[in-house]
Amino acid sequence: MNPSWRKPAGMFAILALILVWVVLVASFAGTISQLHWTLQAIVYLVTGIVWILPLKPLLRWMELGTWR
């Protein structure tokens, strides 16, 4: 049984996704900091959860080799 190249590739894709998401959210930090604290909490809560959505198909691809 040969090891799959998809798992290391998927790992690097996940790290790249996190890096891009952090840079994107941090670029809006100045604008977000001007909001009321409750809106800030909501924005950071939503942005902290949204990055997880593309992980399900990526993890499925890593395990099975298919996007569906």
Side-chain angles (χ1 to χ4, degrees), residues 10-42:
M11 178 190 65
F12 286 118
I14 290 171
L15 292 174
L17 170 71
I18 292 171
L19 178 65
V20 167
W21 191 248
V22 166
V23 170
L24 181 69
V25 172
S27 68
F28 289 103
T31 305
I32 296 170
S33 68
Q34 296 174 357
L35 298 174
H36 190 268
W37 70 269
T38 53
L39 291 175
Q40 287 182 36
I42 292 169

Side-chain angles (χ1 to χ4, degrees), residues 2-68:
N2 293 331
S4 173
W5 60 271
R6 288 187 311 265
K7 290 192 180 186
M11 178 190 65
F12 286 118
I14 290 171
L15 292 174
L17 170 71
I18 292 171
L19 178 65
V20 167
W21 191 248
V22 166
V23 170
L24 181 69
V25 172
S27 68
F28 289 103
T31 305
I32 296 170
S33 68
Q34 296 174 357
L35 298 174
H36 190 268
W37 70 269
T38 53
L39 291 175
Q40 287 182 36
I42 292 169
V43 168
Y44 285 122
L45 179 67
V46 169
T47 57
I49 294 172
V50 167
W51 72 271
I52 298 172
L53 297 176
L55 288 183
K56 184 175 181 181
L58 181 59
L59 291 171
R60 183 179 301 126
W61 172 79
M62 287 170 60
E63 191 64 33
L64 302 175
T66 181
W67 291 102
R68 293 180 186 244

